[in-house]
Amino acid sequence: NEIEYPLSREIPVACIDQNRPWQILIAAARLRKLLQSTKYDVLLTTGGSPARTTGLALRGLQEPPQWIARIGSNPERRDPAVLRILDRHAYPQASLYVANSAGLAASISRCYASSRGRTQVIYNPVDTSGLAELASLPLPTGVKKERPRAATACRLVRLTRRELLRGCFAQVRR
């Protein structure tokens, strides 16, 4: 797999190699093995396929990281039945759900009972320079000063500004 997203050299990258739906279970086993060896505190997903793989990988882990599942598309759409079944097994593992609109948050709540009371809305960035300025502000009081070990499971293509998204999630932390 080719990585199109510009990453700093000090950021480790592990390719789970899940490109087709039938590879999800194998990819989840690979990710579970990686998570057991790395002991991350927080894991962020920003898409359906990485989220499915992550949720399945977290099942049965003795010390799973806190998983923030950002859901950006309506789970009530008509995905193939096998993907909806996998989602019903994956998403209950999430610690926090993030939607990009109030309507989407309501849809997530209808589809995944585990999301009720654990969903927050962060609107898609439009004013990137304004959001970047907000992300550079000091963390709110009550946020731990030490740096947790964090990871993201995603496609490394230029679709989402993950560094900006991580800054937004830092402010959402409970």
Side-chain angles (χ1 to χ4, degrees), residues 18-155:
Q18 190 266 304
N19 297 307
R20 304 283 184 252
W22 59 85
Q23 297 171 322
I24 291 172
L25 296 177
I26 295 168
R30 288 185 189 126
L31 181 56
R32 180 182 297 115
K33 188 175 180 178
L34 176 68
L35 292 172
Q36 287 170 329
S37 67
T38 55
K39 304 290 185 196
Y40 286 106
D41 299 308
V42 179
L43 182 59
L44 163 68
T45 57
T46 60
S49 192
R52 236 173 251 121
T53 301
T54 298
L56 295 172
L58 293 176
R59 290 173 60 95
L61 273 184
Q62 289 188 355
E63 296 180 40
Q66 297 294 303
W67 174 30
I68 301 171
R70 180 191 176 273
I71 302 174
S73 57
N74 188 348
E76 293 176 311
R77 69 185 185 278
R78 293 288 175 205
D79 277 343
V82 67
L83 296 181
R84 290 194 313 266
I85 290 167
L86 291 173
D87 286 349
R88 282 196 301 270
H89 289 281
Y91 280 112
Q93 310 307 312
S95 307
L96 177 69
Y97 299 77
V98 175
N100 59 18
S101 72
L104 181 58
S107 177
I108 291 167
S109 178
R110 286 190 295 273
C111 287
Y112 310 120
S114 58
S115 71
R116 295 179 192 137
R118 295 191 292 156
T119 302
Q120 295 190 17
V121 176
I122 298 179
Y123 296 98
N124 281 337
V126 176
D127 176 10
T128 55
S129 62
L131 287 172
E133 183 180 330
L134 287 173
S136 70
L137 296 175
L139 291 176
T141 57
V143 175
K144 294 180 184 177
K145 299 281 191 246
E146 66 271 6
R147 296 176 66 176
R149 290 179 49 93
T152 183
C154 58
R155 296 179 188 100

